[in-house]
Amino acid sequence: MQNKAKLFQKKMTDNKYDERIINLFLKYYDKLQNGDKGIIGEEQILPVEYGSVEKFSKIPKDVNSSAKTAVIKLNGGLGTSMGMDFPKSFVEVRENKRFIDIALMQQENYPLIFMNSSATKKMTDEFISQNPQIKYKNIASGFIQHSFPKVVKETLEPAVFAQNPEYEFNPAGHGDVYMSLLTSGILAELLKDDFRFAFISNIDNTGAVFDASIANFMEKNNISFLMEVCRRGEMDKKGGHIAKTRDGHYVLRERAQSNADEIAEFENIEKYSYFNTNSVWVDLRKLSEILEKSGGIIELPFIANEKTLNPNDKNTAKVYQIEQAMGAAISLFDEARILEVEKERFFPVKTTNDLFLLRSDRFLLQNARIKSFDENKSQCNVVLNPKYYGNLRDFEKRLKNGAPKLKKCAEIIVNGDVYFDSNMEFEGEVKL
């Protein structure tokens, strides 16, 4: 078994990996070899009772914090779920503004840092060079997310795919942000400039906006790690939920970390009431202390995702992709808290259904913020036939004259090939 670990070590060394990343992967691989797949069973955790945590709406709205905060946007995705081959952050959201434009519009007196992948770095760097108003340009282009070698399920050996060697590796997950901050030197740079916190969120979550009152809340209450959560609904039951370990620490459990025979419990939204929005606030000093104590490695609860070697060919070998969830770091910080936020701070765009809604009159772009038209927070369910709308190019062709009016619409299901324009208005429950 030890010889197999050496195969991975050589593969990563040959690809010029940082030694700390190699050592981290080998720790995860050792667990995988011993049958540990990152499962968190029902017997290991306790629910977090709804209403037992602080609410964003109730914390003091004091924005005069002395704590300097950096904003990090997770920007590694290509939007493959919408058939794209360019960075998702360059998709138009509304009013000719893209995700990356909106992130820049929201920039205040803090560094705006992008966590890229090798696929997104070039376009992001060009964007930064073309926008002189971006502050702290020396660190704005940020860092590239690390990747891990894929592990063949049957043999636990490194995956080999001569036709496309890129398929031999997988992104290490958003949880890699902490190690990437370290290995890129950006963590040291921020601490040297006396930055106390980092606010980290997905760039496609238009609701994830820096709020100085949260930094102030953390500073005054000596909070080392804060995760924004929302109340789980039926639409959220497949996403990661928050629980507590038997010794009282918060823990994030993703679906892939649940036993197959416990999925019903995982999806129980009454038992597990909160889901992770993937927006977190981290005390950089505490992060640095944890890294220093652990020899430059932050070992998160890992996920062994079972996939196929070629993600586009189900007949290729089954592999494990070792990944880390960013929110999993909550279990490592002693002074960690969760903060319940309204859905206005959580509106990710994962599919063209979300984009259809965001471009309608149910939302507006105001003072660099995407806002709902409706303070009563009524919802509209959108289901578009993926045959005509699943691919972004096809979607844009059918909405070239604008999105319809949906303020009075509770649900719209589009089965046919329909072209829309901004003069159309729908009410109630609609099927086309």
Side-chain angles (χ1 to χ4, degrees):
M1 287 292 226
Q2 190 64 30
N3 289 335
K4 292 181 180 180
K6 287 182 178 177
L7 293 175
F8 285 99
Q9 186 173 22
K10 183 178 187 305
K11 184 166 189 164
M12 297 177 81
T13 301
D14 289 348
N15 281 274
K16 296 181 172 54
Y17 273 67
D18 186 288
E19 187 177 349
R20 292 164 290 191
I21 300 301
I22 296 175
N23 291 337
L24 175 62
F25 174 83
L26 293 177
K27 281 178 176 286
Y28 292 140
Y29 180 69
D30 182 62
K31 290 183 176 183
L32 188 64
Q33 279 186 316
N34 290 303
D36 184 350
K37 297 177 185 175
I39 298 296
I40 302 173
E42 283 291 309
E43 76 286 352
Q44 297 173 257
I45 56 176
L46 298 167
V48 177
E49 184 180 350
Y50 182 72
S52 63
V53 303
E54 288 104 341
K55 291 189 174 186
F56 173 64
S57 59
K58 301 293 185 183
I59 69 170
K61 296 300 178 280
D62 181 0
V63 297
N64 297 315
S65 173
S66 61
K68 294 170 71 176
T69 304
V71 172
I72 300 172
K73 292 293 183 181
L74 304 176
N75 185 46
L78 289 181
T80 51
S81 62
M82 293 191 279
M84 296 161 45
D85 58 2
F86 62 92
K88 188 177 183 181
S89 53
F90 287 82
V91 172
E92 182 185 334
V93 180
R94 58 178 301 123
E95 298 170 32
N96 297 316
K97 299 297 181 185
R98 304 163 297 181
F99 291 109
I100 199 164
D101 297 318
I102 293 171
L104 179 55
M105 289 166 64
Q106 293 168 353
Q107 180 187 243
E108 296 177 16
N109 294 315
Y110 52 72
L112 176 61
I113 305 169
F114 299 99
M115 178 176 171
N116 293 301
S117 64
S118 55
T120 62
K121 182 168 173 55
K122 183 179 178 183
M123 281 186 70
T124 305
D125 283 350
E126 289 173 356
F127 174 82
I128 291 168
S129 67
Q130 292 164 5
N131 287 275
Q133 69 270 42
I134 291 180
K135 301 174 176 66
Y136 296 88
K137 282 211 173 198
N138 59 317
I139 58 174
S141 62
F143 40 87
I144 294 181
Q145 181 182 16
H146 295 110
S147 58
F148 286 149
K150 293 180 182 178
V151 182
V152 177
K153 181 182 178 182
E154 185 177 354
T155 64
L156 296 186
E157 293 178 350
V160 177
F161 196 71
Q163 300 96 305
N164 189 345
E166 287 186 8
Y167 286 159
E168 298 175 11
F169 299 86
N170 63 267
H174 289 155
D176 178 61
V177 65
Y178 310 110
M179 288 294 291
S180 288
L181 276 169
L182 174 69
T183 60
S184 65
I186 290 177
L187 177 59
E189 191 77 22
L190 290 171
L191 289 170
K192 186 179 75 174
D193 287 345
D194 203 30
F195 278 88
R196 175 75 182 276
F197 300 116
F199 170 49
I200 313 170
S201 64
N202 294 329
I203 199 163
D204 68 353
N205 178 5
T206 54
V209 180
F210 170 78
D211 192 300
S213 66
I214 299 180
N216 192 53
F217 176 69
M218 290 184 70
E219 184 181 30
K220 287 192 172 179
N221 292 279
N222 195 32
I223 300 170
S224 59
F225 185 100
L226 186 142
M227 176 191 290
E228 296 187 25
V229 299
C230 286
R231 186 168 190 178
R232 281 175 110 197
E234 276 299 311
M235 299 293 289
D236 313 306
K237 66 183 182 182
K238 296 190 180 203
H241 71 72
I242 304 302
K244 274 196 171 182
T245 59
R246 295 284 170 175
D247 62 1
H249 281 78
Y250 285 115
V251 64
L252 169 66
R253 180 169 68 160
E254 300 286 353
R255 189 181 182 86
Q257 293 173 297
S258 185
N259 284 307
D261 60 353
E262 293 178 339
I263 290 296
E265 288 296 289
F266 175 89
E267 293 184 350
N268 186 335
I269 63 175
E270 298 302 323
K271 182 176 182 179
Y272 298 111
S273 305
Y274 296 103
F275 73 85
N276 168 33
T277 67
N278 217 38
S279 293
V280 303
W281 299 71
V282 183
D283 185 323
L284 296 173
R285 298 174 193 172
K286 293 290 185 182
L287 174 61
S288 182
E289 286 176 17
I290 290 172
L291 286 163
E292 191 173 335
K293 287 178 183 176
S294 60
I297 293 175
I298 187 163
E299 185 180 350
L300 304 177
F302 78 105
I303 304 166
N305 260 330
E306 191 174 317
K307 303 283 186 178
T308 52
L309 178 50
N310 179 351
N312 303 313
D313 185 353
K314 301 304 178 187
N315 295 316
T316 53
K318 290 183 177 179
V319 296
Y320 290 120
Q321 294 188 176
I322 294 179
E323 301 170 11
Q324 312 153 97
M326 180 172 73
I330 196 169
S331 62
L332 305 182
F333 289 79
D334 291 332
E335 303 88 11
R337 299 246 200 121
I338 60 177
L339 183 69
E340 183 185 350
V341 298
E342 299 290 346
K343 287 288 183 76
E344 65 187 19
R345 286 190 65 82
F346 181 70
F347 195 91
V349 177
K350 301 302 180 188
T351 67
T352 51
N353 293 343
D354 302 324
L355 199 57
F356 186 85
L357 193 60
L358 202 56
R359 288 191 185 174
S360 77
D361 62 343
R362 293 187 69 91
F363 289 88
L364 61 155
L365 181 59
Q366 185 180 79
N367 298 326
R369 307 288 194 270
I370 297 285
K371 294 186 177 181
S372 170
F373 85 101
D374 184 6
E375 291 184 359
N376 296 319
K377 301 177 177 61
S378 62
Q379 296 186 350
C380 175
N381 184 41
V382 175
V383 182
L384 305 176
N385 188 332
K387 177 180 177 181
Y388 304 112
Y389 304 94
N391 183 291
L392 183 67
R393 187 179 295 107
D394 295 336
F395 172 86
E396 296 286 15
K397 183 168 68 175
R398 288 164 175 81
L399 270 82
K400 64 181 179 181
N401 294 317
K405 296 178 174 66
L406 300 176
K407 280 185 179 180
K408 300 177 182 178
C409 186
E411 180 176 70
I412 178 165
I413 299 174
V414 185
N415 292 316
D417 184 6
V418 180
Y419 282 66
F420 294 92
D421 67 51
S422 58
N423 293 317
M424 293 179 177
E425 185 171 358
F426 297 99
E427 296 183 16
E429 296 180 358
V430 179
K431 281 190 178 181
L432 300 175

